[in-house]
Amino acid sequence: MAVFTPLNDAQVSGFLERFDVGSLVTFEGVASGTENTTYFVTTDRQSLVLTLFEQGEHDELPFFVDLLDYLAEHRLPVPGPVHDRQGIALQSLAGKPALLFPRLPGKSPKQPNLAQCEALGDALGRMHFIAQRFEGHRPNPRDLHWLLAAHHQVLGYLSPENQALMGDEIDTYQGAFENADALPQGAIHGDLFRDNTLFDGDRLGGIIDFYNGCTGDLLFDLAIVINDWASDADGSLDRERHDALLRAYLARRPLTEGERRCWPLMLRMTALRYWLSRLLVVYVDPPAHELTPHDPEQFRTILVRRIAEGALPLPG
């Protein structure tokens, strides 16, 4: 159970009194969290999600609140935080920063079908189009500069073959991206895996967990999505899911010529980003709580396939 801060009825009831959301009926801890404490809360008027922030830079939370407010105002399927009776969203509960959200419908797809890929591509394209005008700023904490600095921490745990693979890839990205024209920038989700979406059948109920959100290359965000949503177990790209998602995305936000040129390398760089971040969790910075880390080998496999096979042609 990923509930790191236990709460009682009196604490939750008192917290809800700050908001115009009704009176507490019941609440339960959510087992799927890995960093924060999450509760499903039911009042006599609605269903809500209560999140307490256990880790991370708490001074960055206003960025996430502003971003979710902005996207919700533009009718994106995101959980805009509930504001209290004084118009304030970010609160404190049990000594931890806390946010309250409406509970969105649906569940995360383990094997997304084509309709779900299309719905996600459409929503992400709309989000990226709108997010280019978002005025908040938070640097991407997992960009090329982070790769350059962080990969040295894991080299000692890797085989000579994998050391060479990682080093050669980073050299390639540095040569390509540092000399390339600037790519379109905006607010991005930064971690839009399948388990950060909710579907009610084929309808996208919501995009959740924006706590890797930042300002960065829109193409970086799109590549993360394709590597997760359109990859098979062997790391290869499934053409039907790939095309369904990208066709819907491109109808909302066409890529520039510079983005099209960088696309194959961006797929590789985001695969390495997750290979490295998962290696860091396993060997260097294990989670503060007793949780099973994600397998780094999954994204090494994806990286090797992208190097060997390149990118599929972009639809249209």
Side-chain angles (χ1 to χ4, degrees):
M1 173 67 72
V3 173
F4 313 119
T5 300
L7 300 175
N8 58 42
D9 284 19
Q11 287 174 299
V12 178
S13 292
F15 181 77
L16 293 178
E17 289 176 359
R18 307 175 195 175
F19 304 86
D20 183 19
V21 294
S23 301
L24 177 66
V25 174
T26 186
F27 72 100
E28 60 177 329
V30 179
S32 59
T34 58
E35 295 181 353
N36 300 314
T37 292
T38 302
Y39 289 93
F40 289 150
V41 177
T42 303
T43 74
D44 54 3
R45 287 165 49 186
Q46 58 191 290
S47 296
L48 301 159
V49 177
L50 169 61
T51 298
L52 278 67
F53 296 90
E54 305 285 348
Q55 303 181 48
E57 299 294 332
H58 292 161
D59 58 356
E60 295 180 338
L61 290 175
F63 171 87
F64 305 128
V65 172
D66 291 345
L67 176 57
L68 287 168
D69 277 341
Y70 178 83
L71 296 176
E73 287 168 2
H74 286 81
R75 300 183 181 276
L76 269 296
V78 304
V82 181
H83 293 243
D84 71 6
R85 298 176 191 275
Q86 282 70 49
I88 299 170
L90 187 58
Q91 304 283 323
S92 179
L93 177 59
K96 306 288 176 63
L99 287 171
L100 191 65
F101 299 98
R103 185 172 177 183
L104 301 179
K107 61 182 180 179
S108 302
K110 296 187 182 300
Q111 298 294 330
N113 61 35
L114 297 184
Q116 291 168 337
C117 289
E118 182 178 351
L120 191 278
D122 178 76
L124 185 63
R126 288 194 293 128
M127 189 183 91
H128 282 176
F129 180 79
I130 290 166
Q132 292 176 86
R133 300 191 296 273
F134 177 64
E135 295 181 355
H137 183 78
R138 178 186 181 237
N140 185 347
R142 295 292 184 266
D143 63 3
L144 177 57
H145 299 292
W146 174 79
L147 292 176
L148 286 166
H151 82 282
H152 298 286
Q153 299 179 58
V154 303
L155 291 179
Y157 301 99
L158 302 182
S159 68
E161 177 188 4
N162 283 335
Q163 289 179 16
L165 171 61
M166 186 172 288
D168 290 347
E169 280 295 290
I170 290 175
D171 287 345
T172 298
Y173 309 150
Q174 194 171 11
F177 289 109
E178 289 194 347
N179 297 317
D181 294 335
L183 299 175
Q185 302 272 304
I188 62 176
H189 184 281
D191 197 40
L192 190 45
F193 280 53
R194 306 170 196 189
D195 58 2
N196 284 330
T197 63
L198 299 171
F199 279 85
D200 184 7
D202 292 338
R203 187 180 73 84
L204 178 60
I207 298 172
I208 60 174
D209 197 355
F210 274 78
Y211 306 117
N212 285 282
C214 58
T215 309
D217 297 329
L218 302 178
L219 198 69
F220 182 92
D221 216 20
L222 182 60
I224 289 172
V225 170
I226 290 297
N227 276 336
D228 179 61
W229 285 72
S231 288
D232 289 328
D234 64 359
S236 63
L237 285 168
D238 178 274
R239 182 179 293 275
E240 289 188 326
R241 281 181 282 145
H242 170 278
D243 286 0
L245 199 154
L246 282 173
R247 191 177 292 113
Y249 179 93
L250 295 172
R252 294 289 187 175
R253 192 190 78 85
L255 301 185
T256 66
E257 286 303 314
E259 287 178 306
R260 288 176 174 268
R261 286 193 299 270
C262 289
W263 177 238
L265 270 185
M266 190 66 83
L267 288 170
R268 286 161 57 176
M269 190 171 82
T270 52
L272 191 143
R273 171 259 189 265
Y274 281 97
W275 182 30
L276 175 55
S277 63
R278 291 181 177 189
L279 286 168
L280 287 166
V281 170
V282 171
Y283 294 115
V284 179
D285 188 22
H289 309 285
E290 294 183 5
L291 298 169
T292 302
H294 292 294
D295 182 9
E297 187 63 23
Q298 176 190 3
F299 275 93
R300 182 196 175 278
T301 299
I302 290 174
L303 173 61
V304 170
R305 294 300 290 251
R306 298 295 174 273
I307 295 170
E309 299 173 358
L312 293 177
L314 291 166

